[in-house]
Amino acid sequence: MNIFNTKKEIKSYLTAQKQKNKTIGFVPTMGALHKGHLSLIKEAKKKNDLVVVSIFVNPTQFNNTIDFVKYPKTLENDTKLLNSVLCDVLFLPSAEEIYTQNIVSDKFDFDGLEHQMEGKHRKGHFDGVATVVKTFFEIIDPDIAYFGQKDFQQLQIIKKMVQKHRLNTKIKGCPIFRENDGLAMSSRNTRLTETHRKAVPFIYKILEKVREQFNVDNTLEITEWVEDEFKKNTTLELEYFTIAEEKTLKSEKNKASDKKYRAFIAVFAGEIRLIDNLQLKNN
Ligand code: PAF
């Protein structure tokens, strides 16, 4: 695996590869890699000649300094995992390399997608994500970039950014990877205390019940039920639960048979904030 720290090095390597007509798959990450990341890399390997993975804990997308400072860093293990799935290139830039002088985000307009859910609770988060992903796309110019559906709102926002800025990269969303007890894989899971780790499978259990109830109750009744269930849970704190339409990400009271819906949830387990979502079947 080739490892590059600077834009200049990686650009010159990839330019030479493109001249040989090699296609490039790209998986942006913040490190602390788990099976979910590896599934994106495996998918990218199937469809591209070369796979580039970036590891960069992007400061501008954190609205909480403690979360940024304590974000898990496991570079040695990440490198081993990347070698095990035959990753071709690892891009490991510094903040100065990506942001040059000022570590600030650009401002984006995602036609309202950015004002829903995570956007309401994490001010500036999506401007930070879009700034870094757009910068990576400019440096790497990938044919296809891979994102997990756990961050479904992020996935929709990246697709919107590509459309609005007429970028050449195709965006591929990949399924959520779960632990055996249903917990969605996330780098932040390693920071859970033993008590919280035992408690968090509750999140997926609730989402599964929501999926069952989706054809019986209306979205308001389901939301109230979820909120009541979390009030009874003394270990976890619900930040939001909503059922939203996949394209607009807006919460909808009435279901339409020609639209796709998802249940979205954000929960605090102590100081660790977890998000998850599940597609709902509209019978
Ligand atoms: O999903 C993530 O890990 C990050 O938001 C991303 C896409 C790597 C941008 O920093």
Side-chain angles (χ1 to χ4, degrees):
M1 180 170 70
N2 287 296
I3 303 179
F4 300 113
N5 299 109
T6 66
K7 293 184 267 196
K8 204 173 157 205
E9 286 168 328
I10 191 166
K11 265 188 179 177
S12 99
Y13 176 80
L14 292 177
T15 305
Q17 297 301 318
K18 278 176 199 158
Q19 277 161 3
K20 293 185 217 159
N21 286 326
K22 303 260 189 213
T23 57
I24 297 170
F26 174 46
V27 182
T29 82
M30 299 206 294
L33 302 180
H34 50 69
K35 284 185 192 151
H37 293 115
L38 301 186
S39 75
L40 302 181
I41 299 167
K42 286 177 191 162
E43 185 61 25
K45 286 289 289 182
K46 281 192 225 155
K47 299 275 157 63
N48 303 275
D49 298 318
L50 277 178
V51 173
V52 178
V53 171
S54 61
I55 295 183
F56 178 63
V57 185
N58 173 32
T60 63
Q61 71 185 73
F62 286 82
N63 56 322
N64 176 329
T65 319
I66 297 173
D67 192 28
F68 173 59
V69 174
K70 292 198 175 168
Y71 199 85
K73 290 164 197 78
T74 56
L75 187 56
E76 210 181 307
N77 191 50
D78 290 351
T79 314
K80 274 190 205 146
L81 289 174
L82 291 174
N83 277 318
S84 76
V85 289
L86 306 177
C87 171
D88 301 286
V89 175
L90 170 59
F91 185 37
L92 261 181
S94 65
E96 292 69 36
E97 190 65 23
I98 293 299
Y99 286 99
T100 325
Q101 274 169 347
N102 298 323
I103 303 191
V104 287
S105 310
D106 296 331
K107 293 276 170 273
F108 292 85
D109 172 3
F110 300 115
D111 295 342
L113 292 179
E114 71 277 29
H115 301 312
Q116 309 301 325
M117 302 180 292
E118 292 298 284
K120 284 184 198 155
H121 294 271
R122 302 185 69 188
K123 290 277 168 251
H125 169 67
F126 289 118
D127 279 336
V129 170
T131 301
V132 79
V133 172
K134 189 160 171 282
T135 306
F136 280 135
F137 283 5
E138 280 156 10
I139 300 168
I140 295 162
D141 189 20
D143 294 278
I144 314 178
Y146 297 79
F147 294 84
Q149 288 177 342
K150 186 175 78 64
D151 299 289
F152 191 83
Q153 186 171 10
Q154 166 174 284
L155 171 66
Q156 299 298 64
I157 281 178
I158 300 293
K159 283 185 182 165
K160 181 69 81 180
M161 179 187 80
V162 165
Q163 183 201 327
K164 285 200 148 194
H165 292 263
R166 295 168 198 262
L167 307 180
N168 294 323
T169 302
K170 215 176 120 193
I171 304 301
K172 176 95 175 87
C174 299
I176 299 175
F177 250 67
R178 297 188 179 279
E179 303 290 353
N180 290 338
D181 57 15
L183 175 65
M185 289 193 188
S186 161
S187 305
R188 287 184 178 88
N189 292 351
T190 57
R191 294 189 51 220
L192 291 165
T193 63
E194 209 178 310
T195 310
H196 288 131
R197 178 63 190 84
K198 279 192 189 134
V200 289
F202 182 74
I203 301 169
Y204 185 57
K205 288 205 173 73
I206 289 283
L207 288 179
E208 281 185 311
K209 288 209 179 116
V210 166
R211 183 168 55 189
E212 276 170 34
Q213 284 312 106
F214 187 63
N215 289 306
V216 182
D217 296 332
N218 68 41
T219 58
L220 212 67
E221 287 165 331
I222 297 176
T223 306
E224 276 172 14
W225 176 79
V226 172
E227 286 169 358
D228 283 347
E229 288 302 299
F230 272 92
K231 274 182 201 143
K232 287 185 244 159
N233 187 313
T234 51
T235 318
L236 304 174
E237 194 195 322
L238 179 68
E239 186 174 50
Y240 68 79
F241 169 83
T242 188
I243 293 176
E245 199 265 321
E246 284 195 357
K247 275 199 188 135
T248 61
L249 300 179
K250 283 188 182 152
S251 307
E252 288 195 9
K253 206 171 145 204
N254 299 313
K255 301 170 231 171
S257 56
D258 58 340
K259 290 182 180 172
K260 286 189 179 156
Y261 297 93
R262 253 171 211 264
F264 294 88
I265 196 163
V267 172
F268 276 99
E271 64 175 23
I272 312 304
R273 185 176 181 276
L274 300 175
I275 59 169
D276 200 349
N277 68 80
L278 193 65
Q279 191 172 46
L280 304 172
K281 290 268 176 312
N282 203 356
N283 290 338

